[in-house]
Amino acid sequence: MITISHEQNYIHVAVLGEFTLKDFREFEENVLYELRFHGRANLLFDLTEMISYTLDMAIEEIRFARAHRRDFDKVAVLSNDQWVAWSAWLNQLLSEARIELFQETDAARAWLAPPSETGQAPA
């Protein structure tokens, strides 16, 4: 199951339990809407409550990342799992997005914030 919310500077996706192809299709619809009306997108993927994922979802994730390799600016991934870290590294090869792994939500949100909101130069 997933929850999706459109925040001011990013799309917040939280995965609860098993991440299925149906869930990923819902994610795709939300991201494609964001891309159509706002251009490039930032994502906050909270995978701290994800227990597992299906193989068909993983294949679709790779296909989607390749098809939209230039559509994302920043992708923050919340997780403590080494496999998620490996997946984030793999996606970095398939995408031009800046992908960072975080263990705390506040740090991920700060990284996604525009430089004018943090008082810092762009990363």
Side-chain angles (χ1 to χ4, degrees):
M1 176 179 155
I2 64 170
T3 63
I4 300 172
S5 62
H6 293 259
E7 306 298 330
Q8 183 175 359
N9 302 314
Y10 57 90
I11 300 170
H12 185 177
V13 180
V15 178
L16 310 165
E18 185 176 55
F19 197 6
T20 66
L21 182 59
K22 180 181 178 220
D23 296 330
F24 196 83
R25 297 275 191 227
E26 183 179 342
F27 161 76
E28 286 178 326
E29 288 176 21
N30 277 269
V31 168
L32 293 175
Y33 175 88
E34 186 76 17
L35 294 174
R36 173 180 276 169
F37 293 103
H38 300 108
R40 292 171 60 97
N42 291 325
L43 301 174
L44 176 85
F45 254 110
D46 184 346
L47 303 177
T48 56
E49 299 295 322
M50 183 178 76
I51 296 171
S52 64
Y53 56 88
T54 62
L55 181 59
D56 55 353
M57 186 288 306
I59 292 168
E60 181 64 15
E61 177 188 14
I62 292 169
R63 185 204 62 77
F64 186 81
R66 291 183 70 201
H68 297 279
R69 67 181 294 122
R70 293 181 178 92
D71 293 337
F72 300 95
D73 186 27
K74 293 181 175 180
V75 178
V77 180
L78 283 170
S79 180
N80 297 319
D81 186 294
Q82 72 178 16
W83 290 108
V84 170
W86 180 84
S87 177
W89 175 81
L90 179 61
N91 276 319
Q92 186 91 34
L93 298 175
L94 302 174
S95 174
E96 294 180 10
R98 291 175 284 169
I99 301 172
E100 292 287 333
L101 193 61
F102 295 90
Q103 294 183 356
E104 296 179 7
T105 304
D106 290 342
R109 286 183 178 144
W111 183 71
L112 290 169
S116 61
E117 291 182 21
T118 62
Q120 299 174 352

